[in-house]
Amino acid sequence: MPNHALALAGVLAAVLLPAAPARSDTTAFVNVNVVPMHTETVLPAQTVIVIGGRIAEVGAAADVPVPDGATRIDGSDRYLMPGLAEMHAHVPPAGADSLERVLNLYVANGVTLARGMLGEPGHLVLRQQLQDGAVLGPRLLTSGPSFSGNSVSGPAQARDMVREQRAAGYDFLKIHPGLTAEEFEAIAAAAAEAGIPFAGHVPAAVGLRRALSLGIATVDHLDGYLQALVPATDGPPGGVAGADEGFFGLYLADAADTHRIDAIVAATRKAGTWNVPTQSLFVHWLSADSPDDMRAWPEMQYMPAATVDQWAAAKAATTGEPGYSVELVDRAIDLRRRIIKALHDADAGLLLGSDAPQVFNVPGFSIHRELAYMVDAGLTPYEALQAGTVAPARFFGKEAAWGTVEAGREADLVLLDANPLADISATREIRGVMVRGRWIPREEIAAMLAALAE
């Protein structure tokens, strides 16, 4: 561990958040309906035994004895599924006043895995503390500080930055806009040599097809896809010469050729690149919904008023641009739905992520909205849930550790009051959350949220 990370360890342990309270080593979910997620089914009347943070046994309630001394949780008429992933999370810096709020909001909503998309040295310590249960929050996989037009000053410096972040121990590299084609290519080559993935935005100077060919691990926000649907010109790759493309290509929606969707989806699948659509970010930022109406959403009570004010101002600024129209936004949203469905149908990997906290995306709550938007795009509830459970496990090569309710998997679980395969809104009806074996019942979640609302 680098010296700067070691120096932060004591601060994080002693000041940031309290250690998790002592917990029983063994928990039994008794007579519960299991949504295992390795197949589209519900296993009725099961008992699930968790020992030491890992699922030890899953079987018919009549056949699985509850160990003496185990904490018993009545699962009658309830549904147990894997915890959800937020694959485009923004985790505040270590020591930030907002860190505990964000982590608690994730957990309260059943998010047990977060891919941090803008990391910093303190996250290397926090990552281990979250894994160990010393800090309450989702499992964290984190990038380092992002590669952008502001942080990169040429191909040589970009290569050095890749090597430094690989040596520091970050899980992947985050790409932001503003890179030149030469800088992006240098990052891709150095990342391949160092054995570390890179992910995020598609710089305008690079274009989607080139980013795919260079091995970008995930494209986030469907960045570059609307541009790729516009017939080629002498302008930016896949774009319109001299045009203001708008927020993730909004102003290109009327020029997009839907006949080009299949080809760019096929290129995505061939490249092995996954997508994190963050449809909720696009809809919430650009929709015709008034900021005042959105302020009244129940989850806004858990964010500071100043933050909500900033979100409202950002939305008002975007929807007040001269080229903005509700019809154009509706067209862009429909195009994005079609791309999401085409990516799914082609088995080009989809991952659940909402970009939270971000404009009207409250951590945790926005994941449930994202699930609904994926269903709106034509996925079944099971297919949408795959993007937040088994798919992240597959993406990270952790199929044997996470993402399903099976013996041997780590105990990141959510207990629901209704069947999420029948209605995706059931993911909001949380009875309790288990984070690496620590059980957090509804009452504790309610108290946590009440404290944040104050």
Side-chain angles (χ1 to χ4, degrees):
M1 183 180 295
N3 289 337
H4 54 256
L6 285 170
L8 282 164
V11 175
L12 281 164
V15 176
L16 175 62
L17 291 174
R23 65 191 183 202
S24 171
D25 185 62
T26 303
T27 303
F29 297 89
V30 181
N31 196 39
V32 69
N33 299 303
V34 171
V35 184
M37 287 308 301
H38 55 67
T39 185
E40 188 174 4
T41 191
V42 174
L43 305 175
Q46 302 286 294
T47 288
V48 177
I49 306 296
V50 174
I51 300 175
R54 194 172 293 274
I55 299 172
E57 189 172 1
V58 179
D63 300 331
V64 177
V66 176
D68 292 340
T71 299
R72 297 174 67 105
I73 299 168
D74 182 10
S76 300
D77 299 321
R78 293 172 186 145
Y79 295 80
L80 188 68
M81 63 167 284
L84 293 166
E86 167 59 271
M87 290 293 285
H88 195 109
H90 284 282
V91 177
D97 291 342
S98 57
L99 178 57
E100 185 174 5
R101 175 184 302 274
V102 169
L103 296 179
N104 285 353
L105 285 169
Y106 283 138
V107 168
N109 283 277
V111 173
T112 60
L113 168 66
R115 186 176 69 138
M117 296 301 291
L118 191 59
E120 51 93 28
H123 287 173
L124 297 171
V125 179
L126 179 63
R127 179 180 62 190
Q128 189 61 50
Q129 292 181 316
L130 289 164
Q131 174 63 33
D132 294 342
V135 171
L136 176 61
R139 182 191 318 275
L140 177 64
L141 292 106
T142 184
S143 77
S146 73
F147 292 72
S148 70
N150 294 324
S151 64
V152 174
S153 60
Q157 187 259 341
R159 286 190 290 269
D160 289 343
M161 193 170 165
V162 170
R163 297 184 189 108
E164 290 165 1
Q165 291 199 11
R166 179 67 178 86
Y170 292 106
D171 298 297
F172 64 100
L173 314 173
K174 166 66 183 290
I175 304 299
H176 256 139
L179 296 168
T180 67
E182 293 76 16
E183 289 166 346
F184 188 89
E185 290 171 3
I187 292 165
E193 181 180 343
I196 186 170
F198 60 100
H201 290 254
V202 174
V206 177
L208 179 58
R209 288 186 177 275
R210 184 60 177 149
L212 294 174
S213 70
L214 289 170
I216 192 168
T218 70
V219 172
D220 292 64
H221 318 295
L222 296 181
D223 196 3
Y225 277 84
L226 289 190
Q227 290 88 334
L229 300 185
V230 176
T233 70
D234 293 331
V240 175
D244 177 5
E245 298 177 354
F247 189 73
F248 294 116
L250 169 65
Y251 296 143
L252 304 181
D254 284 340
D257 179 0
T258 58
H259 294 97
R260 299 168 69 92
I261 290 176
D262 287 348
I264 196 61
V265 166
T268 303
R269 187 181 188 282
K270 181 179 179 181
T273 296
W274 296 63
N275 267 269
V276 188
T278 69
Q279 185 77 336
S280 55
L281 176 69
F282 194 87
V283 173
H284 295 171
W285 204 322
L286 298 178
S287 72
D289 295 333
S290 78
D292 286 341
D293 288 345
M294 297 174 77
R295 286 176 187 271
W297 288 359
E299 62 262 39
M300 295 304 152
Q301 66 183 301
Y302 305 119
M303 297 302 294
T307 298
V308 179
D309 287 343
Q310 291 170 0
W311 291 352
K315 181 178 177 70
T318 301
T319 57
E321 291 176 357
Y324 175 89
S325 74
V326 173
E327 294 76 19
L328 185 65
V329 171
D330 288 345
R331 165 78 168 154
I333 290 173
D334 180 66
L335 284 169
R336 289 171 61 92
R337 288 185 186 128
R338 294 176 69 170
I339 293 167
I340 291 168
K341 184 62 162 61
L343 288 164
H344 172 267
D345 290 348
D347 196 27
L350 288 176
L351 297 165
L352 183 67
S354 67
D355 197 347
Q358 188 52 278
V359 173
F360 290 108
N361 274 6
V362 175
F365 289 93
S366 58
I367 274 296
H368 301 291
R369 293 185 181 272
E370 185 72 20
L371 284 167
Y373 290 130
M374 294 185 84
V375 171
D376 287 345
L379 277 65
T380 67
Y382 174 69
E383 291 165 345
L385 287 168
Q386 283 185 306
T389 54
V390 293
R394 178 180 160 206
F395 174 77
F396 287 117
K398 297 289 187 179
E399 297 99 321
W402 316 329
T404 58
V405 184
E406 295 181 89
R409 302 302 189 268
E410 294 190 33
D412 289 336
L413 304 165
V414 184
L415 186 64
L416 304 173
D417 283 339
N419 180 4
L421 301 187
D423 185 343
I424 197 62
S425 67
T427 61
R428 303 168 186 256
E429 300 181 41
I430 295 173
R431 176 66 53 171
V433 178
M434 178 166 275
V435 183
R436 285 170 295 291
R438 177 185 171 186
W439 173 240
I440 307 167
R442 173 180 286 180
E443 296 76 15
E444 187 176 340
I445 291 172
M448 183 188 302
L449 291 175
L452 294 177
E454 291 175 359

